[in-house]
Amino acid sequence: MMLKIPRLVPLFTAGAVALAALAAPPAHAAWTLNMTPGISAMSRQIYGLHMLMFWWCVGIAIVVFGFMIFSMVRFRKSNGSVADTNFLHNTRIEIMWTLLPVLILISMAVPAARVLIQTEDATGSQLTIRVTGYQWKWGYEYVDTGVTVLSTLDSASNRARELGSGIDPTTVPNYLLEVDHPLVVPAGVKVRVLITGQDVIHSWWVPALAIKKDAIPGFINEAWFQIDADKTGLYRGQCAELCGRDHGFMPIVIDVRSPQGFQQWLKAQEDAAKPATPPTATPAPAAANTASSSIGTTRG
C-alpha cells in the first residue's frame, strides 16, 4: 500500500505548531482569573467576602446539578421508573426549599453589609487627596498642601502605541501601564480620596486597593485606603470607564513609600511649588540725610 505523503503534511504542520506553542516563552502579562487579596486590611476583607460568595455558589451548583443528574439517570423512563405524584405540592418540601435559600441569603447579606459599611467609613483619615479624571490623564491634589500632580501615560508607551512607530511594544517595560508622575502615598496611613471628573465620566480602578469608583463631572465620590506598613512599592491600575477614543491609554500608578519617605517627597514638592523670592534691592541713601548734610555745610 502506497503512503500518501500530501495528506500527512497538515498533520505534521499542526504538530509542529503545537510543539512551538508549548515551547514558547511565557507571556509578559500574568493570566489571573481571581481577585487579588490586595495590600490593605480592607482589600483582604473584600477578597474574603468574594471567596465566601464563590464557595457558596460552588456548593449550590454541586447540590443542584448533582441532584438533577442523579434523578435523570436513576429515575429515567427507559429504566421503567414512574413519576411519583406524592412529590408534587408536598408541603414539607415546599417549606424546605423556601427556608434554605433564605438562610443562605442571610449568611451572605450579613458579612456583605458589614464590609460595605466599612468601605464607606472614611473617618479618622490623616491625608486627603482629590483625584480628578481628564481626557486622558489623572490629576492628584494633596488637599491643604498646595501640591498638585498631573499623571500622564509615559513617553515610551506613548511612542510605541502610535501606528507606524516601528517599536515592538514587548520591549517597552510596563507597556501602557506606566506614567510620568505617579501618585505618591504613605504606607500605614489612612488616606481619603475624593474622586471626580473634569470632562466625561472616568473610573479610578486600582485592584490592589480593591477600589473602583466612578469619576463623574460635578459629583464627588469618596473612598479610602490604609496600605500595610510593609507593602511599599509600585502598584498599577487603569481607567475602567469608556471615556473616549484614548481610553486605553489612561493608566494609574501608585508609589507607596514609608511615612518618612513620603514626608520628604511632600516637602520637596511644596518647596518646588513656592514662588521664587526676588533678590532684595540695596536701599538708597535717605534724602533727608543728604539735605541735612547740605544744610550743615552751608551754615559752617
Side-chain angles (χ1 to χ4, degrees):
M1 183 174 179
M2 236 177 153
L3 188 61
K4 296 184 179 180
I5 300 298
R7 292 187 179 181
L8 296 178
V9 172
L11 296 176
F12 285 120
T13 304
V17 171
L19 289 175
L22 292 175
H28 290 279
W31 282 84
T32 55
L33 300 178
N34 202 359
M35 290 179 62
T36 172
I39 56 175
S40 67
M42 191 74 255
S43 66
R44 285 189 293 275
Q45 288 190 47
I46 294 174
Y47 175 79
L49 180 64
H50 159 73
M51 293 307 299
L52 172 65
M53 305 301 177
F54 172 76
W55 288 117
W56 264 118
C57 292
V58 169
I60 293 171
I62 291 174
V63 171
V64 172
F65 288 104
F67 184 76
M68 288 175 57
I69 294 171
F70 171 78
S71 300
M72 289 186 292
V73 173
R74 176 67 177 80
F75 304 105
R76 63 188 184 274
K77 184 177 180 180
S78 61
N79 200 29
S81 297
V82 179
D84 185 1
T85 56
N86 296 325
F87 188 80
L88 191 64
H89 300 300
N90 187 295
T91 303
R92 183 177 297 178
I93 295 177
E94 293 282 354
I95 293 175
M96 182 182 69
W97 66 34
T98 300
L99 186 61
L100 187 60
V102 170
L103 295 176
I104 293 174
L105 289 175
I106 292 175
S107 68
M108 291 181 174
V110 171
R114 183 175 62 249
V115 173
L116 182 61
I117 292 172
Q118 291 179 1
T119 60
E120 299 296 328
D121 184 14
T123 58
S125 56
Q126 300 161 273
L127 175 66
T128 301
I129 302 174
R130 181 191 295 271
V131 179
T132 305
Y134 303 92
Q135 288 183 310
W136 290 267
K137 58 192 70 180
W138 293 100
Y140 303 112
E141 177 187 351
Y142 294 79
V143 178
D144 297 330
T145 65
V147 176
T148 301
V149 176
L150 198 61
S151 182
T152 312
L153 180 69
D154 73 314
S155 57
S157 293
N158 194 39
R159 287 194 301 269
R161 75 177 180 89
E162 296 175 356
L163 292 175
S165 65
I167 301 174
D168 183 3
T170 59
T171 63
V172 180
N174 300 308
Y175 176 61
L176 298 183
L177 291 175
E178 189 62 90
V179 297
D180 52 0
H181 300 105
L183 171 64
V184 181
V185 296
V189 174
K190 188 171 184 178
V191 180
R192 174 174 171 242
V193 287
L194 305 175
I195 304 171
T196 186
Q198 178 66 25
D199 33 47
V200 298
I201 298 178
H202 303 274
S203 185
W204 199 73
W205 175 45
V206 182
L209 299 178
I211 294 178
K212 183 181 179 185
K213 288 281 188 178
D214 284 344
I216 305 172
F219 189 83
I220 294 179
N221 274 322
E222 184 182 55
W224 68 271
F225 58 85
Q226 185 170 356
I227 300 172
D228 297 341
D230 60 339
K231 294 295 192 299
T232 57
L234 295 177
Y235 301 92
R236 305 179 190 279
Q238 288 177 302
C239 175
E241 187 63 66
L242 296 176
C243 56
R245 65 180 181 88
D246 283 346
H247 152 75
F249 313 125
M250 196 172 170
I252 301 166
V253 178
I254 296 184
D255 183 2
V256 183
R257 304 188 182 185
S258 65
Q260 297 79 12
F262 172 76
Q263 289 299 331
Q264 294 174 1
W265 174 86
L266 188 62
K267 181 66 168 57
Q269 297 299 313
E270 290 175 341
D271 294 341
K274 291 179 181 178
T277 305
T280 305
T282 304
N289 294 340
T290 306
S292 301
S293 176
S294 301
I295 294 171
T297 305
T298 304
R299 286 180 180 176

